[in-house]
Each structure stands twice: as C-alpha cells, then as structure tokens.
Amino acid sequence: MTESSDLRLKRMPLNNGRGNMPALGFGTLIPDPAVTITATRGALEAGFRHFDCAERYRNEREVGEALQAGLAAEGIAREEIFVTTKVWNSNHRPERVGPALEGSLDRLRLKYLDLYLIHTPFAFQPGDEQDPRDQSGNVIYDNGVTLLDTWRAMESLVDHGRCRAIGLSDIGLNELLPLYESARIKPAVVQVEAHPYLPETALLEFCKEKGIVFLAFAPLGHGMRPGLLEDPVISAIAARVGKTPAQVLLAWAIQRGTALLTTPKNAARARENFDISALPEDALNEINRIQTRERLNLVVKTGIPGFIPQGG
Ligand SMILES: NC(=O)c1ccc[n+]([C@@H]2O[C@H](COP(=O)([O-])OP(=O)(O)OC[C@H]3O[C@@H](n4cnc5c(N)ncnc54)[C@H](OP(=O)(O)O)[C@@H]3O)[C@@H](O)[C@H]2O)c1
C-alpha cells in the first residue's frame, strides 16, 4: 500500500506552507488524569502522531508527561508529532493570549506548538476562572473584546515563532467568513463537530476552497449509544468490509477530505482506531445518504462545552 492510499498515514497540507498535519488525530478530552496518561501513551504506541489538547481540558500536564515519556521510550523526535492546544474563552483579551500559550507550553513540556486554536468564538469574563457565572448561574460573557482582536494576538504568536499555525474551533461559516477576510494570517485549521449525522457540508466546501484543514471532532458521535456506532447503515457496511463500526466512521471522515480527532481510552481501542483502511465508493455513498441529523455538542452555540446527554 502506498503512503498516499494508506489512510493511517494521510497528511493534510497547511495553507501557510509550513508543513502538514496527520489526518488521523488523537483527542485528549479525557476527564480522568490517570486515564489521560495511559490513553495518550497507548495512542502514541498505536501510531497516532497528532495530539489535540486544550487548556480547558485541565490535563495538559498529564498529556505532556505522557508525550515526553512516550517519545523517549519509542525513540520518536518532537518534529515527528503534531501538537495542538487551544486558548480558552476567558483568555480572549489580547494581553492574555500570549501568557495562555506560554502556560500551555509549560504544562505540555514543549518549546513550540504546531497549532494554536481559539477554542470557541465566545469571550468569557477575562480571568483565571474558566467558567465565570453570575448569581443566577448564567455565564458572564465579555463584550469588551472581538474575535478579530483575539485573532490579531494569535497572529503575533506566529510572528514570534511560538506556534507554527493558528486556527479556530466551534465556529460556523457566518463568523468564519468575516474573520477570514480580515485575517492577515489566514486560519489554517477549523475544528468542529462532524460525523454522518452532522456533515457540515457547506463549511467543508468553504474550507476545501481556501485550503483550510477541516478537523472533525466526535467522528464516532462521541461514542454515544444509541447513536452512530449502532446505526444500521454503518453496522451493515462494517460487516460487509470486515471492519468495526468505529473503523468505518473514521475511514469515511478521512476519505471525504477531513482530518479527525478520536479518543480511544485504552490501548486496544487505540490500535483499532488507528487500523483503518479505505472503504469502497458504494459504501461512502451509502453513508452520505444517511438522513439523520443531530448535533451532540452545543458549544458552538454558547461557548459552554459539553455533549448533550442522550435520552434513554
Ligand atoms: N473543539 C471542541 O469544542 C471539542 C469538543 C469535543 C471534542 N473535541 C476534541 O475532539 C476529540 C474527540 O472527540 P470525541 O471524544 O467526541 O471523539 P469520539 O472518538 O467520537 O468519541 C469518543 C468516545 O467514543 C468511544 N470510542 C472510542 N473508540 C471506540 C471504538 N473503537 N469503539 C467503540 N467506542 C469507541 C469512547 O468511549 P469510552 O468512554 O467507552 O471509551 C470515547 O469516549 C476530543 O478528545 C477533543 O480533543 C473538541
């Protein structure tokens, strides 16, 4: 199998000419610190070379520890992995962006980031409280800073070599378009929820046109059941091609031209999620014809993270 036809090795070029990103990414949104360490090591051992982090996940220290130990144990150089983290909503004020990145680098034990993202377009009250609330329990937003103000601070981090690329997360086309037009350094990556129940086709087309990497989170529907992993179309294809439903969903995501983030929490699942291969055209078409539409994470509408518990 050639490198270009092997989905596991596919790389997405960055529109700033500064390298590329492995399409198959490992996400570190794992609440338990000990599991963060074992899962990150397991992902590295399985072959993942792209790691997605965030200061909001409150586990950058554990990810950094696991990466440092894992790279040393496997003889992998820093340049061989691609590491992303994200500036949180309470750090949108321009003067807070640089220190936020330095804090993340320190916790991750890294000298530079491959990619720094604005986690959501929503600015919260500036400060160290990540979830600022008023007396009624409502989030306190910050009207004193615009997304473009924050973006300008991100651009200067690229100028100063603290990160190689910058991008956005949890953003829709309506907000992306004006930012894209005004940006001196164009976004290299947009990270949003995407799977067969939420294909985000218009955003994907825009990203392809502009050379922006569309990075899908929750490609397995966040593992929720009932859900995508039990969808009859996905299960039937999995049985037909001799793969698991998870492998079918991950292959579909890469074959439609997106990068993805998945979060296997143990070594066996990491090997499963890395061991993907191309689906035949008819299978891709069947998945594209799925009519169910469902957004699982409302963060894009509020800036407040969290998957919506499924009724059962
Ligand atoms: N920008 C944002 O706002 C945002 C929001 C959400 C996520 N993200 C990023 O995207 C990453 C991925 O999102 P996600 O966690 O929703 O990804 P996902 O891979 O769709 O879902 C992960 C869940 O699926 C289950 N799973 C994983 N592999 C499986 C397999 N082979 N078979 C069956 N179940 C499997 C796991 O459940 P178990 O618990 O049973 O192991 C895990 O909890 C996150 O870690 C984070 O980095 C970003």
Side-chain angles (χ1 to χ4, degrees), residues 2-253:
T2 65
E3 182 163 325
S4 57
S5 67
D6 187 342
L7 299 187
R8 298 170 303 176
L9 303 178
K10 185 172 177 194
R11 301 184 79 97
M12 316 286 289
L14 299 175
N15 62 6
N16 60 8
R18 302 188 65 182
N20 50 49
M21 165 200 267
L24 190 48
F26 173 77
T28 65
L29 176 52
I30 302 172
D32 185 281
V35 178
T36 300
I37 293 175
T38 54
T40 305
R41 285 292 295 269
L44 195 65
E45 281 162 27
F48 284 88
R49 294 292 179 266
H50 167 181
F51 296 85
D52 180 78
C53 316
E55 57 173 309
R56 184 68 177 88
Y57 302 164
R58 298 196 182 111
N59 61 359
E60 289 176 311
R61 272 186 210 291
E62 287 76 13
V63 175
E65 183 186 325
L67 286 179
Q68 192 177 55
L71 294 184
E74 316 226 358
I76 300 168
R78 163 69 182 92
E79 293 70 34
E80 293 175 54
I81 62 168
F82 188 101
V83 184
T84 303
T85 195
K86 316 185 190 84
V87 60
W88 181 240
N89 302 353
S90 50
N91 285 327
H92 275 210
R93 294 266 173 153
E95 67 277 14
R96 295 186 66 87
V97 175
L101 175 135
E102 298 303 330
S104 285
L105 283 179
D106 184 51
R107 289 185 292 273
L108 288 165
R109 306 185 191 188
L110 297 176
K111 293 195 170 63
Y112 69 90
L113 288 174
D114 296 278
L115 174 67
Y116 201 38
L117 299 178
I118 299 183
H119 200 144
T120 89
F122 297 87
F124 288 1
Q125 173 180 273
D128 295 334
E129 172 55 61
Q130 291 187 334
D131 189 26
R133 303 272 174 162
D134 66 19
Q135 284 178 340
S136 314
N138 298 315
V139 168
I140 307 172
Y141 291 95
D142 178 9
N143 297 322
V145 61
T146 66
L147 191 58
L148 188 57
D149 295 336
T150 309
W151 188 257
R152 296 282 182 237
M154 300 283 283
E155 291 175 327
S156 102
L157 295 177
V158 178
D159 295 338
H160 291 97
R162 308 308 289 142
C163 54
R164 294 191 167 166
I166 49 177
L168 298 142
S169 169
D170 297 320
I171 192 157
L173 253 188
N174 287 347
E175 293 152 301
L176 178 59
L177 281 169
L179 193 282
Y180 183 88
E181 290 305 323
S182 308
R184 174 172 59 85
I185 299 178
K186 303 299 180 193
V189 176
V190 168
Q191 180 183 135
V192 293
E193 176 180 340
H195 41 70
Y197 292 172
L198 190 67
E200 295 285 25
T201 313
L203 182 60
L204 177 57
E205 286 312 313
F206 176 79
C207 287
K208 283 184 177 175
E209 189 189 309
K210 303 295 186 192
I212 300 171
V213 176
F214 179 111
L215 177 55
F217 76 73
L220 308 181
H222 197 53
M224 287 168 159
R225 293 171 195 264
L228 273 163
L229 288 168
E230 293 168 343
D231 184 282
V233 172
I234 303 297
S235 304
I237 293 170
R240 211 162 73 218
V241 302
K243 287 285 184 179
T244 66
Q247 290 168 330
V248 168
L249 288 162
L250 300 178
W252 173 82

